[in-house]
Amino acid sequence: MLPGTSPSATVLDSATRDRTRVLLLFSLSGRLRPRDTALGALVDRYDYGRFASHLMTSQDVLPVPVLDEQAAPRRLRLPRGDHGLGLASLRILVVAAPRGDATLVVDCAFAGETTAGDLAAWLATTCFDRERIELDARPLLQTLTEQLGRPLALGQNVHQLVFPGGRLQRELLSADEARKAILLNEIVYRGRMPWNPATPYDASLAPHLRNHGLTLSALGRGVSVQAGWAPHVENGLMLVAVGMVSALAVLQRTRLAAFAMMKANEQALTDSPTEIRSLISRLSTGVNELQLDLAFGVEAYVDSLLIPEMVMEAFQSSQRDALGIRDSLENSARMVERLTSVISARSAALDAELAERDERRDRTVSGLVAAATLIALPPTLLLAFFGVNGTNVDDHRSILDLRAYGTAYALAWLPFVVLVVIGYVLLRRISTRSGSLLPTSDDDAVPVPPPRPPSGSPRP
């Protein structure tokens, strides 16, 4: 049980929280392949209550913790101060999905009361200045890199889960709609968009709100406010949010990789079949990886199969719509599909070109063999003639004496010259023959049936 929660949280899905809790989710660039560690599964690191049975059956597709550290709150320093919000507890996790997409989770609980304004400023600092967050007077990522032994860098995606406690929770649950809208607008937009009740309602700017009396859920693209939930529900919401942040990072990486492969295909300047086949092989391997990323890095986290519960489904659906993951997934899938078609077309063109080249080579070789045979036969006949000890062969005359042996040369070469001329004429006639290679249809020979009358009408 987290500090600041009531004992009833272990029984009900709703609970009263004394201290505000905030979960910072940062996507990490690159890949961190999960390996067997002593940390075990993510379901063993947090209390998931009645959701644990679902997660136990889905451990193979869940993110795996590669780092889990309970740190002293004073070790964390923000670039612009803590805005008057001291931490009571600090927990740092790095989790990696099966495809290697890593997410940094910073689990914080505040020591005293929190106001919407101070909390909004704290959220803004941890989001927009996240590269300057320090742990032990050094950049946070540098400290984590040393602990994991692998270089880490912050990605583009951030989501902050806010679980209000104390006075802020009571105010959000009991205030009138106008006051509630002002508070939620300030937290969800991190104080960057002041609320003006006099302006017309704009659904595109207002947080996605669900108010059940005992609980409240307000969702924006980068911040979610979840009030009145028990710890195991909060942990389940964290798991859903981690999956969404990871899926969004995969989509962005997939989009960039698809563009890179498109450029590689367009800029490839080579006439070597071996190099072209190597290019096609590399592109095909890349496309296969993209398809696996979309299937197991995105699609596995955008439905409610992991935790088929109404509370999780509502949050997952709202966050999926806010992040635009469904449309991005469809667009990325189409891009990968078209890239696959381009690679297949290029492979087919290469096969056709190689087949044509082999055909030309075979024709050339056949022509050379025929020419060599044609050229070799007359000298062979002449050599046989001169090698015979006949009365027409004089040992004192040269074989190049055409006066004496002109008739023999004519009899040896004339038939083959005539054969070459006849073959050339026949080939010319075949290549210049008029008419199409496909026979034209004779329209007069095929009768056209008369139009069929409508069903039930009398025939003429």
Side-chain angles (χ1 to χ4, degrees), residues 77-273:
R77 296 181 182 178
L78 304 185
R80 299 183 182 181
D82 58 7
H83 303 280
L85 301 178
L87 295 180
S89 65
L90 174 65
R91 186 176 184 179
I92 300 174
L93 297 93
V94 176
V95 297
R99 294 290 297 168
D101 301 286
T103 304
L104 170 63
V105 181
V106 181
D107 191 346
C108 305
F110 296 103
E113 294 289 348
T114 55
T115 64
D118 293 340
L119 186 57
W122 194 90
L123 294 174
T125 299
T126 54
C127 174
F128 304 122
D129 297 325
R130 56 187 180 274
E131 294 87 357
R132 299 166 56 191
I133 298 177
E134 294 182 351
L135 187 67
D136 296 329
R138 291 187 301 170
L140 175 61
L141 264 296
Q142 180 180 347
T143 303
L144 299 181
T145 296
E146 293 178 359
Q147 294 182 9
L148 291 174
R150 303 175 189 178
L152 299 176
L154 290 172
Q156 297 296 319
N157 303 291
V158 179
H159 195 81
Q160 298 167 313
L161 280 169
V162 178
F163 304 106
R167 187 185 308 116
L168 182 59
Q169 179 185 8
R170 294 190 297 270
E171 190 174 10
L172 284 173
L173 293 178
S174 61
D176 56 44
E177 295 301 321
R179 176 60 179 167
K180 187 178 302 181
I182 294 174
L183 295 174
L184 291 176
N185 185 82
E186 188 167 16
I187 296 174
V188 169
Y189 293 105
R190 306 183 183 100
R192 293 299 193 267
M193 188 176 296
W195 175 266
N196 184 4
T199 58
Y201 176 78
D202 190 348
S204 63
L205 298 179
H208 188 84
L209 178 63
R210 283 189 177 90
N211 188 1
H212 303 289
L214 294 176
T215 61
L216 178 145
S217 298
L219 180 67
R221 184 176 179 87
V223 178
S224 299
V225 179
Q226 307 288 337
W229 297 108
H232 68 278
V233 179
E234 295 176 355
N235 297 333
L237 296 176
M238 175 198 69
L239 185 58
V240 172
V242 167
M244 290 297 175
V245 170
S246 177
L248 192 59
V250 172
L251 285 173
Q252 293 175 343
R253 188 185 70 242
T254 300
R255 191 75 58 90
L256 294 177
F259 274 101
M261 283 188 282
M262 179 196 68
K263 290 182 180 180
N265 179 66
E266 291 177 349
Q267 297 174 359
L269 300 176
T270 177
D271 294 330
S272 171

Side-chain angles (χ1 to χ4, degrees), residues 358-421:
D358 293 341
E359 185 178 353
R360 291 196 304 267
R361 181 186 61 191
D362 293 342
R363 289 199 304 266
T364 302
V365 172
S366 300
L368 291 175
V369 171
T373 303
L374 191 63
I375 294 173
L377 283 177
T380 301
L381 294 177
L382 289 174
L383 291 176
F385 169 75
F386 288 112
V388 176
N389 294 325
T391 57
N392 294 330
V393 178
D394 189 353
D395 295 339
H396 301 288
R397 292 180 178 273
S398 172
I399 62 175
L400 300 179
D401 189 350
L402 297 181
R403 292 182 179 180
Y405 304 119
T407 303
Y409 276 93
L411 292 177
W413 280 100
L414 185 60
F416 296 99
V417 173
V418 173
L419 180 62
V420 170
V421 172

Side-chain angles (χ1 to χ4, degrees), residues 405-458:
Y405 304 119
T407 303
Y409 276 93
L411 292 177
W413 280 100
L414 185 60
F416 296 99
V417 173
V418 173
L419 180 62
V420 170
V421 172
I422 293 175
Y424 175 77
V425 172
L426 292 177
L427 290 175
R428 289 285 297 174
R429 287 184 178 181
I430 293 175
S431 61
T432 59
R433 184 180 61 181
S434 62
S436 174
L437 294 177
L438 296 177
T440 58
S441 60
D442 189 358
D443 295 338
D444 297 334
V446 181
V448 178
R452 182 174 299 176
S455 178
S457 61

